[in-house]
Amino acid sequence: MINKTALALLFLTVTGAIFGQSNNQTSSPYSLFGIGRFNEVNTGITNALGKSGIALSGENSINNLNPAAYADLPKNSFMFDIGIKGEQNSYTNNQDNNVNINTNFSNISLALAFSEKSGLGISLSPYSDVGYVLQGVTSTIEGSQDTYSSYITGSGGLNNIAANYGYKLTPKLNLGILGNYFFGKIAEQEELALEYDYLSVTENSYYSGVRFGIGMQYKFDKDFTVGSVINLPTTLSGTQDRDIKKIVNSVTTNETQASRDIAGFKLPLEVGAGIKYSYKSFTFNADYKHLFWNATGMEDNIGKFTDSDFFGIGAQYVNNKLRTSYFEKFQYRIGCNMDNGYLDVDGVRIKNLALTSGIGIPLGGRKSFLNISYSYGQRGVVSTRLLQEKYHAFTINICLEDLWFLKRKYE
């Protein structure tokens, strides 16, 4: 049963998540683009399966990759999943190497079965993370040969509140709908000095918007399932507060611009498909997704957004025997994923490749587990304007199940 301690942990996690995005949640220089680096972390199981799971059932764990999975929640079942993530990032360019470590809230997800045919899920998670430092950015003063050096920092990111609803249309066909609400702040500060003069520009950009999607899962039999998801394109509206401080000839001036409109950020149409196949105690799954960035026309000062493809595969071992010892209930997972990148800088794509693994440790209930995953990945290349990022990432998720509305036979 879910006790008061678990509910207190739930409250503290939600509170920390809502206010935590104002701090740096990543140190990736690629978070400089757009609204930051998109969050790749999901619930505990899919993190270890190569970030794949479009065709996975929601019967035994929360699956936020496809709203149709919520139709498989057992009747009277209530689940929630709380997670944290951490990364060690190392960066290499033509000059030096840097290493950074970051930890952050990853998700909180709740799921409740309405009936034998339908279920609802609500989740809160970071959608994008911003955290970069640019030192020694040298520019030339217009109309002269003199130069100045800037110090630029960025932080913040966007959060996502998602509502998933799944309905079992037939014993073999699940349908689902998804609604997202994005909100958050991205802060950038630039400071520069030229002899005795000084300039500081602080920009706080606020974005918000909604997005909808649909999903499907079709079970050919108990071992083979296919699934698909479509996330519709949308535009996040933006406003900005800007503060400028100048010191020129020992005279200080301040300028403030509040709530000025800025260009919105367009999210592309996303189409994905997945398959799942079970054989004895093993489950294998594979996903493919295509993101239509070209249609958005989004560009950045450094590069542009371009169509991208994602491939992910995973395998899981679960002992299906009815009577097992504690250690025989452990679950084991492995996977990998790759994408050809949605950023194009001087004709070079920022590609990503990662290997994943994980373990599920039983916590006593039938479907209550401590899910731990580890990933090793690489993105980007070493070039004149780019660098290569290698990362070690981990997630820790507590997934708990409770049964509601059941009458006790004996007191």
Side-chain angles (χ1 to χ4, degrees), residues 225-392:
T225 303
V226 298
S228 64
V229 292
I230 298 175
N231 290 312
L232 301 177
T234 191
T235 300
L236 306 180
S237 61
T239 61
Q240 186 181 86
D241 296 337
R242 191 178 192 187
D243 294 315
I244 302 174
K245 179 180 180 181
K246 299 179 183 178
I247 301 178
V248 179
N249 297 326
S250 300
V251 177
T252 301
T253 59
N254 293 280
E255 300 176 15
T256 299
Q257 296 175 302
S259 300
R260 66 191 191 111
D261 292 333
I262 57 176
F265 188 87
K266 297 179 181 179
L267 297 177
L269 172 69
E270 297 181 17
V271 177
I275 61 173
K276 184 217 73 174
Y277 177 72
S278 299
Y279 177 73
K280 295 184 178 180
S281 296
F282 294 91
T283 299
F284 306 92
N285 57 277
D287 284 3
Y288 167 75
K289 290 187 287 187
H290 184 81
L291 286 73
F292 294 84
W293 281 105
N294 286 347
T296 67
M298 293 296 299
E299 292 187 357
D300 197 277
N301 293 331
I302 302 176
K304 64 179 181 179
F305 292 74
T306 187
D307 283 5
S308 64
D309 302 283
F310 169 90
F311 301 90
I313 59 174
Q316 179 177 214
Y317 172 82
V318 177
N319 193 328
N320 292 322
K321 295 179 181 179
L322 295 178
R323 295 181 179 273
T324 58
S325 66
Y326 174 76
F327 290 102
E328 289 177 322
K329 296 178 182 178
F330 278 48
Q331 301 176 353
Y332 304 93
R333 307 175 186 106
I334 192 170
C336 67
N337 64 70
M338 63 172 293
D339 66 78
N340 54 7
Y342 60 88
L343 296 175
D344 185 311
V345 181
D346 293 338
V348 179
R349 301 284 288 273
I350 312 301
K351 300 179 180 179
N352 179 72
L353 174 66
L355 302 175
T356 65
S357 61
I359 186 172
I361 303 173
L363 296 178
R366 296 180 309 149
K367 301 171 185 177
S368 297
F369 282 86
L370 176 66
N371 293 308
I372 302 173
S373 77
Y374 165 78
S375 304
Y376 173 74
Q378 174 181 303
R379 65 171 59 90
V381 296
V382 178
S383 69
T384 303
R385 299 184 65 185
L386 298 175
L387 50 77
Q388 186 178 79
E389 175 184 353
K390 295 182 180 180
Y391 56 90
H392 300 271

Side-chain angles (χ1 to χ4, degrees), residues 112-169:
L112 172 66
F114 282 160
S115 66
E116 294 179 351
K117 291 186 176 183
S118 63
L120 174 70
I122 299 176
S123 65
L124 170 65
S125 63
Y127 181 68
S128 68
D129 299 321
V130 176
Y132 57 85
V133 176
L134 303 177
Q135 301 184 41
V137 180
T138 303
S139 303
T140 302
I141 298 176
E142 186 176 354
S144 74
Q145 299 297 319
D146 296 331
T147 62
Y148 63 90
S149 182
S150 298
Y151 179 81
I152 304 173
T153 61
S155 63
L158 271 60
N159 297 295
N160 176 25
I161 297 178
N164 296 267
Y165 176 78
Y167 182 79
K168 193 177 294 293
L169 189 64

